[in-house]
Amino acid sequence: MKKRQNVTIKGTKEGLVLHLDDTCSFEELKKELDQKLSANSRIEDDRHYIYVKVNVGNRYLSIEQREELNNLIHEKKNLMVDDIVSNVITLEEAEQVRTANEVKTVSKIIRSGQVLEAPGDLLLIGDVNPGGTVIAGGNIFIMGTLKGVAHAGCFGNEEAVIVASSMKPSQLRISDQIDHAPDHAENNESREMECAYIDENRKIIVDRLQVLVHLRPNLNRFEGGL
């Protein structure tokens, strides 16, 4: 009977991909990995490094086990670990993902000197007065007047948007882009809801809310509500 392989090595244009079985013991896995990498050491001398991606499937790896795999692979000629991928995440990581994707709903007026923050999307039912600030890792939806500062996508999300019933901000920020008091905002008496987003030229644009249907089709969680 043919022995089950715990380690499969595949070559790609980018380097090597190691598929590691997730049902055997970690010690068995290391032993076979060491044997196969040693036997497969016919690597060209003229190549500085061959990058290795490691896929461990449904196996959870501790920090120490990741270090062990890193060290074992680095010991081999010209091999460098590019990434170790696992389908399993910790409870802490799962909580971070959940928090980043949830919508924080707040009903209040943000007055001068006050700062309201949310790790994911923010839905504010109220106004942001001059001198007030709202910050979110995701999108910002303001059911009221925005006269202060709004910073969406503060962790680098350039797809984030800012929506307000009345858009008269002192400053708009999306990711690392800043728009100081958009000119049209001071004279804007429109009662239409508006949105701000980053366009293809990496500029913040303020436009009618309806454009988001085409620009950000995935924004459907508030469909019919804004």
Side-chain angles (χ1 to χ4, degrees):
M1 186 176 178
K2 191 175 180 180
K3 184 182 177 183
R4 177 189 177 91
Q5 292 191 29
N6 296 323
V7 177
T8 305
I9 303 175
K10 291 185 178 180
T12 68
K13 291 180 180 179
E14 290 75 31
L16 295 178
V17 178
L18 307 184
H19 292 277
L20 308 186
D21 185 78
D22 53 21
T23 59
C24 66
S25 73
F26 186 66
E27 291 305 316
E28 283 182 88
L29 194 65
K30 284 196 306 174
K31 183 178 179 181
E32 185 171 327
L33 179 60
D34 185 43
Q35 290 172 345
K36 286 198 170 180
L37 288 179
S38 298
N40 199 40
S41 61
R42 54 182 185 279
I43 297 166
E44 298 92 335
D45 290 332
D46 60 343
R47 292 185 63 175
H48 252 227
Y49 289 110
I50 290 183
Y51 290 98
V52 178
K53 182 175 181 180
V54 184
N55 191 323
V56 298
N58 295 323
R59 181 189 296 272
Y60 171 72
L61 293 177
S62 66
I63 295 174
E64 292 77 15
Q65 288 175 328
R66 284 177 177 269
E67 272 304 308
E68 285 185 59
L69 287 182
N70 260 305
N71 293 337
L72 191 156
I73 294 169
H74 282 185
E75 287 173 359
K76 307 306 175 185
K77 185 178 178 182
N78 293 350
L79 295 186
M80 176 171 287
V81 175
D82 182 44
D83 196 12
I84 297 179
V85 180
S86 170
N87 298 333
V88 182
I89 62 174
T90 65
L91 287 175
E92 182 181 355
E93 290 168 333
E95 177 63 19
Q96 288 173 351
V97 171
R98 184 193 68 80
T99 301
N101 286 285
E102 73 176 0
V103 181
K104 180 176 182 178
T105 303
V106 178
S107 180
K108 66 182 293 187
I109 295 173
I110 308 302
R111 306 185 187 279
S112 180
Q114 294 182 325
V115 178
L116 175 63
E117 298 184 61
D121 289 351
L122 171 63
L123 172 60
L124 174 66
I125 303 171
D127 300 332
V128 182
N129 288 350
T133 301
V134 287
I135 302 172
N139 307 295
I140 295 176
F141 304 94
I142 299 172
M143 304 296 286
T145 301
L146 170 59
K147 291 184 177 180
V149 176
H151 185 184
C154 64
F155 303 123
N157 180 8
E158 295 194 354
E159 293 292 304
V161 300
I162 299 169
V163 174
S165 298
S166 180
M167 187 82 77
K168 301 177 181 179
S170 60
Q171 184 187 99
L172 293 176
R173 297 185 65 180
I174 299 177
S175 185
D176 60 353
Q177 300 301 304
I178 303 175
D179 191 4
H180 296 281
D183 293 336
H184 93 293
E186 295 179 7
N187 302 315
N188 180 21
E189 297 301 329
S190 170
R191 295 192 176 184
E192 264 190 34
M193 292 190 76
E194 290 184 299
C195 65
Y197 60 91
I198 293 180
D199 70 359
E200 63 276 8
N201 297 315
R202 300 194 76 246
K203 301 289 185 183
I204 294 179
I205 303 295
V206 177
D207 207 336
R208 297 177 309 144
L209 178 63
Q210 287 81 352
V211 303
L212 289 186
V213 174
H214 305 290
L215 292 172
R216 302 290 188 269
N218 293 329
L219 279 178
N220 56 11
R221 73 181 74 185
F222 291 102
E223 190 173 332
L226 290 178

